[in-house]
Amino acid sequence: MGTSDMHESGNFSAFLAGALVGAGVALLFAPQSGSQMRGLLRDYAVRAKDELDEAVDRGADAWDSAMDSGKEFVEKGKESLREAGRQAKGFAETGKKAAGETKDELAAHHR
């Protein structure tokens, strides 16, 4: 999850908390019957739960996406290391062969 997503999530959470507190205070001072107030509070709670569920789903999707990207990055890194190892082995074999040929040439000149 990027910094922007975390910032937006924090803003949303603060907004949601402020909205719930504001709604609760407004309901406490509004001239309504107890059953009406309970119904309004229930509606606010249901909406808040739905919004929270949506935020959790978005967070889970972002987490899954980040995990997939991370796994892909690790696999590419592993393949790069394997390729570098193959190249290093090839260079070592070429160097060993060249050193052997040079040794043979030097030995031939000393005879």
Side-chain angles (χ1 to χ4, degrees):
M1 181 181 296
T3 305
S4 177
D5 293 338
M6 291 172 56
H7 182 68
E8 289 175 14
S9 176
N11 286 342
F12 177 75
S13 297
F15 172 76
L16 184 60
L20 289 174
V21 169
V25 169
L27 288 174
L28 289 175
F29 290 103
Q32 308 224 347
S33 69
S35 63
Q36 286 176 322
M37 185 164 316
R38 285 189 299 275
L40 288 173
L41 288 173
R42 190 174 311 120
D43 291 344
Y44 283 122
V46 167
R47 273 188 265 152
K49 181 190 176 301
D50 291 345
E51 289 178 13
L52 181 60
D53 289 343
E54 288 175 21
V56 167
D57 288 343
R58 284 193 306 271
D61 290 344
W63 176 261
D64 291 343
S65 176
M67 289 297 292
D68 290 343
S69 296
K71 287 177 184 176
E72 183 178 325
F73 182 76
V74 167
E75 286 305 314
K76 285 181 180 179
K78 285 180 181 179
E79 182 55 36
S80 294
L81 285 174
R82 283 191 285 270
E83 180 60 26
R86 285 189 289 268
Q87 288 179 356
K89 185 177 179 182
F91 293 148
E93 289 172 359
T94 301
K96 187 175 180 180
K97 182 179 176 184
E101 290 172 358
T102 303
K103 181 180 173 185
D104 291 344
E105 286 177 21
L106 288 174
H109 284 351
H110 284 299
R111 290 184 192 163

